Amino acid sequence: MALTVQQIRQDVADVLGEDPTDIPDDEDLGDHGLDSVRLMSLVEWWRREHAAEISFVDLAERPAIEVWAALMGAHA
């Protein structure tokens, strides 16, 4: 199942304990409390549930939903 931008935002919100509407697509997710442990859990989840071919390093280098969506080929 392909990821969508909305699904990425929802998954990020879930690991951060925030409302998805509070997480902008273009902001650094580290500023919202995303740390390496939470990021690794997202990477594993997306690999397992969505067959996403992503690496921790790729996502950690530019932690923003819009960048991740492009890397993962997510649909709007």
Side-chain angles (χ1 to χ4, degrees), residues 7-70:
Q7 185 65 55
I8 294 169
R9 186 180 304 105
Q10 181 63 55
D11 292 344
V12 169
D14 287 347
V15 300
L16 295 178
E18 289 192 30
D19 188 290
T21 60
D22 293 338
I23 303 173
D25 290 349
D26 61 345
E27 285 189 15
D28 185 321
L29 295 170
D31 295 342
H32 290 272
L34 186 70
D35 57 23
S36 60
V37 173
R38 289 182 176 121
L39 177 54
M40 184 50 81
S41 70
L42 285 170
V43 168
E44 292 303 319
W45 172 257
W46 290 329
R47 285 178 181 166
R48 185 176 60 249
E49 297 299 319
H50 300 282
E53 295 183 18
I54 53 170
S55 76
F56 173 86
V57 173
D58 288 339
L59 300 186
E61 285 179 345
R62 296 188 57 207
I65 291 172
E66 66 183 7
V67 174
W68 292 359

